Amino acid sequence: MSEQLLNALDRYYNTFNDFFPTMPMCGYEEEEMIEIIDRCIFEKKNVYDLGYLSLDAIY
């Protein structure tokens, strides 16, 4: 895991007081996850609110 992704994960946690769901997102490249995290933080919506993941799905 790159330093950039670790920093992005920290920023996500600090913004939402919740961990970024890395296991369900494991099909994404690190750069894509960083872009998703940046978008979540910019829009102040988590991955579920932006539709990347659903709480109804079983991963």
Side-chain angles (χ1 to χ4, degrees):
M1 199 174 289
S2 71
E3 188 69 30
Q4 288 126 342
L5 180 56
L6 290 173
N7 288 335
L9 293 171
D10 285 342
R11 288 187 289 111
Y12 186 92
Y13 182 82
N14 290 334
T15 301
F16 298 107
N17 200 32
D18 195 9
F19 294 102
F20 183 80
T22 54
M23 290 303 290
M25 303 293 287
C26 67
Y28 289 88
E29 297 289 327
E30 284 192 7
E31 295 81 21
E32 292 174 299
M33 283 196 279
I34 293 168
E35 288 175 13
I36 291 168
I37 291 170
D38 288 341
R39 180 175 176 215
C40 288
I41 292 169
F42 178 77
E43 296 193 26
K44 298 186 182 355
K45 295 180 180 181
N46 65 27
V47 290
Y48 304 101
D49 293 336
L50 288 179
Y52 289 105
L53 296 175
S54 171
L55 290 172
D56 298 329
I58 298 174
Y59 297 101

